[in-house]
């Protein structure tokens, strides 16, 4: 799968003349939306199918700074997928060099905010996500 | 009325080492929320009373740059208030010197998205706003 | 010239489930960067050539709301270009319908922060910008 | 030490009508700036003294959602402080209930971007930070 590309905007830089660290969490969301769309489960479809998958945790390790106009390529992988928890991994690179590594953790809910098992509630998405785990590629 | 104070955050600065110009539009929203609360019509009350007042336009003129940790004092005034349109003015100063002047224009809707006349729908807010016009102070 | 496309990110929406109005000011900056690059004067070249063009004012009129995942096409034009002031116009559309119109005003400085005349300091950019005024197209 | 208070702004909410998760990383920065100022080492002083302390990692676990106008109290503690690494912890609560827990990791550099030992470069800050570790309180 082609990585998602985010070209850093001027307003995403800060006084140190680099991309502000908080923005990487947003780039991860952009890449996640793109990833789900590419695997066939865009937010609109998931919403129509009644599944909500809130973020319950994020991590990000910064390796190199980036700045205005640089293109960050973000590759998404499924680090863990169980009935009740999904962990996505994000490898962010500029010209092939890692600039940051992140993760986001998610639970699954129906539209009433009740926790559900992904495996029973939405088995086709569950199976799809499993195929994107590194060991199954 | 005491002006609203916004202390510039690090993440609000940009590569030029100044507060990014887009953030002033956000500071104006903060000051507007604070102003409405101070005059007795907080967003929660307006919502409970069924009035929505979307932004239909903004302007901002930048006079001096600001940067991290500076305190911007924002004074709000009512530049125009008719049944169908509200224009608020924002004078933003740092240590008494104007750094930016802005305006925001608003219409009035009920919770179904139907345009309403503020004067008939919510006469007490209408009267209150009139008292904050410069000529009535 | 092809308009710049901004696809609305989830984090750019607000509690009213629409794109927060402050973000359009950022979209305008994105479109401006793209426009200058397309006409041959990217930020890196302008910086190398010693010209800085700060934002001295913005306006935005909101016509229709937009939301997550919608693609906003932003066409940039030169509304006014004199030696000391540049005004750019932004027409933002979704599927051909105008959602917002904006402007940004700019002055010209050298890297020491001294005001300069664009016509004498950087005549080739001045001439290029004039060709993008509606009456010269 | 009094916790830092961040009152959630309208523009910090998203389409799910809650505070967007990326903003907590920004609130942590606000609380960190406030904490350092309260312990006597504001960014201006650290800068004047030639120390830079970039963020090399963040984590955030979301426990409960928050929304517009809620006041988030953020208590900062020093989870780890060695010569080469600082880890700060952030406990974010609303009305006494934890809404999120975060950490930020930092290295130490001089203004030339060279890694330095905090203990030898800036011993008074090093000693001060140690006193804010939970076991030393």
């Amino acid at each position: 799968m082609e990585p998602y590309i985010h070209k850093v905007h001027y307003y995403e830089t800060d006084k140190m003349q680099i991309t502000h660290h908080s923005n990487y969490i947003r780039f991860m969301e952009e890449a996640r939306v793109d990833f789900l769309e590419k695997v066939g489960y865009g937010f609109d479809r998931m919403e129509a199918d009644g599944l909500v998958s809130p973020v319950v945790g994020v991590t990000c390790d910064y390796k190199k700074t980036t700045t205005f106009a640089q293109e960050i390529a973000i590759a998404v992988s499924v680090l863990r997928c169980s009935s009740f928890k999904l962990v996505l991994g994000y490898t962010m690179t500029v010209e092939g060099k890692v600039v940051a590594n992140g993760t986001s953790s998610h639970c699954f809910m129906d539209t009433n905010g009740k926790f559900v098992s992904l495996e029973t509630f939405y088995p086709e998405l569950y199976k799809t996500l499993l195929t994107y785990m590194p060991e199954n590629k």
Side-chain angles (χ1 to χ4, degrees), chain A residues 106-129:
Chain A
H106 305 262
C107 62
F108 308 108
M109 289 178 170
D110 62 20
T111 46
N112 297 320
K114 213 187 110 197
F115 288 106
V116 295
S117 156
L118 186 68
E119 197 176 357
T120 55
F121 188 84
Y122 209 168
E124 58 277 35
L125 174 56
Y126 179 71
K127 276 172 214 151
T128 301
L129 289 173

Side-chain angles (χ1 to χ4, degrees), chain A residues 11-62:
Chain A
Y11 60 78
E12 290 168 339
T13 59
D14 69 16
K15 205 171 165 284
M16 289 205 349
Q17 309 194 289
I18 59 174
T19 308
H20 190 269
H21 66 278
S22 64
N23 290 317
Y24 293 80
I25 307 298
R26 298 184 169 189
F27 305 162
M28 286 159 52
E29 180 180 85
E30 294 176 29
R32 180 164 67 249
V33 166
D34 181 68
F35 168 80
L36 288 171
E37 204 160 284
K38 282 176 180 159
V39 303
Y41 293 86
F43 269 40
D44 46 351
R45 177 172 173 192
M46 278 175 56
E47 204 169 79
D49 289 347
L51 186 78
V52 182
S53 186
V55 177
V56 295
V58 293
T59 70
C60 192
D61 290 309
Y62 306 97

Side-chain angles (χ1 to χ4, degrees), chain A residues 82-95:
Chain A
S82 69
S83 289
F84 297 103
K85 192 168 189 184
L86 170 66
V87 182
L88 297 176
Y90 306 82
T91 304
M92 300 177 243
T93 55
V94 171
E95 292 172 9

